[in-house]
Amino acid sequence: MDKKLIDLFIKNAITEDLGDGDHTSMSTIPAGTTGKAKLLVKEDGILAGIELALEIFKQVDSTLQTEVFLNDGAEVKYGDIAFTVSGSSHSILLAERLVLNCMQRMSGIATKTNHVVQLLSPYQTKILDTRKTTPGMRYLEKWAVRIGGGVNHRIGLYDMILIKDNHVDYAGGISNAITAANQYLAANGKKLEIEIEVRNLEELSQVLNTGKVNRIMLDNFSFADLKQAVKLIDHQFTTEASGGITEENITEYAACGVDFISMGALTHSVKSLDMSLKAY
């Protein structure tokens, strides 16, 4: 867990929710009231966000006491209790929605990712996430992908050079883009991997002739062309398939022999896992 990022996220999220006070709790529950609550799982899936929830409780009120029964990555079913929390009722209610929003979203992502990982188990292909994430929650969503058994692609624009179709078009062609990227890295003393997206076998041929990249993204290829592309690359570079890939067709892509498959759907349209924080 990146403590600096998490601290900033929690601070901003609480500020957004709290405003000038939780007037419902302050008006209905006497100050100093204590209570207990349990995190109740209401849907089968993969649990994610426990470590984050504990940090949220800690930052909301360091006197809150938690007891954890299930950890991140655990398979859960309806009726499971992930943890209990006890202490100030006002503090529990302040943390409640932030904990649930994060855990439900993260568990939904982990559950979907794990399902895809299981589909790919007969193959050597690994599943990647993308930058199609919720603004402000990218770290959490990519964390959830890892909990579900997936692999993180680049985190942002800063940790890899990914030359996509628009970059190629603006740069005046594939060779120009690759050459400029390598010159930039050398001039700035940076050591970043270079990946380039290709849209067809002709563009792939240009990349193979130019070289000087680490990974080739094969975007929206037909199965026949994808198989041919993997054969042409012949392990010279890491391969990644992308574009139009779903749970229904992902095994067909994996059967083409690519090293990675990227799926924006792991994060951009996932269904949250149902759970609640109930007083008892």
Side-chain angles (χ1 to χ4, degrees):
M1 180 174 67
D2 187 321
K3 189 69 165 54
K4 185 176 180 180
L5 278 177
I6 293 302
D7 286 352
L8 181 61
F9 169 78
I10 295 172
K11 178 182 178 181
N12 289 339
I14 291 173
T15 299
E16 175 185 60
D17 203 24
L18 186 60
D20 68 347
D22 178 2
H23 300 300
T24 307
S25 294
M26 290 191 293
S27 66
T28 60
I29 303 169
T33 301
T34 59
K36 297 179 180 179
K38 58 186 176 182
L39 193 290
L40 181 64
V41 176
K42 301 169 71 176
E43 190 175 1
D44 296 358
I46 302 297
L47 190 65
I50 291 289
E51 188 176 353
L52 174 62
L54 298 181
E55 193 63 31
I56 292 170
F57 286 129
K58 180 180 176 181
Q59 292 203 30
V60 166
D61 183 346
S62 61
T63 68
L64 290 175
Q65 299 294 311
T66 55
E67 185 175 4
V68 176
F69 305 114
L70 295 167
N71 294 313
D72 287 332
E75 292 186 21
V76 293
K77 61 184 185 301
Y78 181 91
D80 283 345
I81 297 172
F83 62 75
T84 61
V85 57
S86 59
S88 164
S89 299
H90 284 198
S91 296
I92 292 172
L93 289 168
L94 173 56
E96 175 187 9
R97 181 46 53 191
L98 179 55
V99 167
L100 286 173
N101 283 348
C102 293
M103 287 196 63
Q104 287 180 298
R105 177 94 180 141
M106 290 179 69
S107 296
I109 291 170
T111 299
K112 187 176 185 70
T113 302
N114 186 258
H115 176 63
V116 173
V117 168
Q118 297 306 316
L119 291 176
L120 292 179
S121 60
Y123 307 93
Q124 297 299 312
T125 306
K126 297 185 183 301
I127 188 68
L128 291 172
D129 55 22
T130 70
R131 284 171 57 238
K132 296 176 182 178
T133 54
T134 308
M137 291 190 69
R138 180 175 297 173
Y139 180 81
L140 306 187
E141 292 178 350
K142 283 181 171 283
W143 186 2
V145 167
R146 296 197 305 274
I147 290 172
V151 179
N152 290 153
H153 205 299
R154 59 177 179 162
I155 301 300
L157 296 172
Y158 58 88
D159 59 333
M160 173 188 271
I161 287 183
L162 175 47
I163 306 169
K164 303 200 76 176
D165 51 358
N166 284 339
H167 299 101
V168 168
D169 293 342
Y170 286 143
I174 284 174
S175 180
N176 287 350
I178 294 175
T179 299
N182 278 279
Q183 289 174 346
Y184 173 88
L185 292 178
N188 289 276
K190 290 189 173 294
K191 295 181 179 179
L192 300 176
E193 287 198 350
I194 298 176
E195 179 174 7
I196 187 163
E197 175 187 77
V198 297
R199 295 166 281 194
N200 50 56
L201 292 172
E202 170 56 33
E203 289 189 345
L204 173 60
S205 177
Q206 294 177 45
V207 172
L208 294 177
N209 288 333
T210 305
K212 299 182 180 179
V213 298
N214 304 97
R215 183 184 300 182
I216 301 175
M217 178 188 292
L218 305 154
D219 188 54
N220 284 298
F221 272 51
S222 68
F223 295 127
D225 283 353
L226 188 58
K227 289 177 182 177
Q228 186 175 350
V230 170
K231 185 175 181 180
L232 289 170
I233 294 169
D234 192 27
H235 305 291
Q236 297 175 74
F237 309 100
T238 302
T239 56
E240 175 187 337
S242 70
I245 300 172
T246 66
E247 292 179 31
E248 289 70 33
N249 63 23
I250 194 167
T251 56
E252 293 180 80
Y253 281 95
C256 294
V258 291
D259 298 305
F260 293 100
I261 290 174
S262 53
M263 274 185 72
L266 293 181
T267 54
H268 71 57
S269 56
V270 72
K271 176 186 176 296
S272 294
L273 200 71
D274 194 12
M275 54 186 66
S276 61
L277 191 65
K278 289 294 185 182
Y280 71 100

